[in-house]
Amino acid sequence: MSTNLKVSAALVAAFAAVVAAVLILGQSDSGSSADSGARVVREDSHRLGEPGAGDVTLVEFLDFECEACASVYPFVEQLREDYAGQVTFVARYMPMPGHPNAENAAVAVEAAAQQGEFEAMYQRMYETQEQWSHREESQAAVFRGFAADLGLDLASYDEDVADPATLERVLADRDDGLALGVEGTPTFFLNGEKLEVTTTDEFIERIEAALDE
C-alpha cells in the first residue's frame, strides 16, 4: 500500500535523536515472558482514535515526561493521520525512574480516560511538557488544571486520581513493558514484535509491509 506521508526534516532529526537514545540504553531483545503473562496489547489498552480496519497494530510504551517521547509525538500524530482506518494505534504507560512526575502524569491521563478523555489529556501532556517536566515538586495541581480546561468533572477526577486502582492500572502497563524487555521510551511494537529501526523511512516501510501481508 502507498501513503501520502510527508516527514519533515525536523521530524527526521527528532527521530534520529530518539533512536540514538534508545541504542545508548541498550534495550534487550523483545519477546513476552510465558511466566509473566505479559501482553503487548490488552483488552483495556488505550486506542488512539478509531481502530484500523485490518490487523495491523502499532503499540507505543511511553512516558509523558520523556523528552524523546515528546520529540517523536508529532511523527506518531502524522502516522495516525496518514494511516487512519488502516492501523490501530495503542498507547501504554511506561513511567521511567528519574522522571519525578512521570507517574503523576500517567495517573492524571488515566483519570481523564475514565471520563472518556484519554486522548485529549494525552495530547495536552506532550504539548505542555516543557512547562511542567523535570521539576522535583509534584505537578498534580498543573494536571488538575488541564482536567479543568478539558471540562472534566473535577470531583470525579479527584476521586480517580486518589483511587489506588488508577495507579495500579498505570503500573500494570509498566509491568507488562518490563516483562516484554522495554528498557527505555519510546519503545514501539508492530503486530507484537519490537520495532527496531534507525530512520523514519524504515519505520514507514515496516508499517507498509505489515499492511501488505
Side-chain angles (χ1 to χ4, degrees), residues 37-97:
R39 298 289 184 273
V40 175
V41 182
R42 294 185 180 271
E43 286 188 9
D44 65 348
S45 294
H46 294 298
R47 275 73 174 174
L48 295 169
E50 295 298 320
D55 298 325
V56 178
T57 299
L58 181 68
V59 179
E60 179 185 3
F61 282 85
L62 56 85
D63 177 335
F64 293 110
E65 198 166 3
C66 162
E67 292 177 351
C69 294
S71 293
V72 82
Y73 164 72
F75 176 63
V76 174
E77 291 294 284
Q78 185 67 61
L79 290 175
R80 288 182 57 204
E81 179 180 335
D82 285 74
Y83 290 104
Q86 301 178 71
V87 175
T88 298
F89 292 85
V90 177
R92 302 199 65 184
Y93 306 114
M94 192 71 192
M96 301 297 291

Side-chain angles (χ1 to χ4, degrees), residues 139-188:
Q139 298 296 297
V142 174
F143 303 149
R144 190 176 190 272
F146 297 163
D149 292 343
L150 294 174
L152 300 186
D153 180 326
L154 291 182
S156 295
Y157 172 84
D158 291 340
E159 289 178 5
D160 290 333
V161 166
D163 187 345
T166 306
L167 177 59
E168 288 173 8
R169 170 67 183 78
V170 169
L171 298 183
D173 270 8
R174 183 203 64 184
D175 291 346
D176 269 355
L178 291 173
L180 291 163
V182 176
E183 296 182 1
T185 55
T187 294
F188 293 91

Side-chain angles (χ1 to χ4, degrees), residues 101 104-105 108 121 124-125 128-133 135 137-150 154 157:
N101 280 282
N104 283 346
M121 187 68 99
R124 182 64 62 90
M125 288 296 178
T128 64
Q129 189 193 75
E130 291 183 359
Q131 300 173 23
W132 58 264
S133 66
R135 288 167 171 76
E137 65 275 13
S138 172
Q139 298 296 297
V142 174
F143 303 149
R144 190 176 190 272
F146 297 163
D149 292 343
L150 294 174
L154 291 182
Y157 172 84

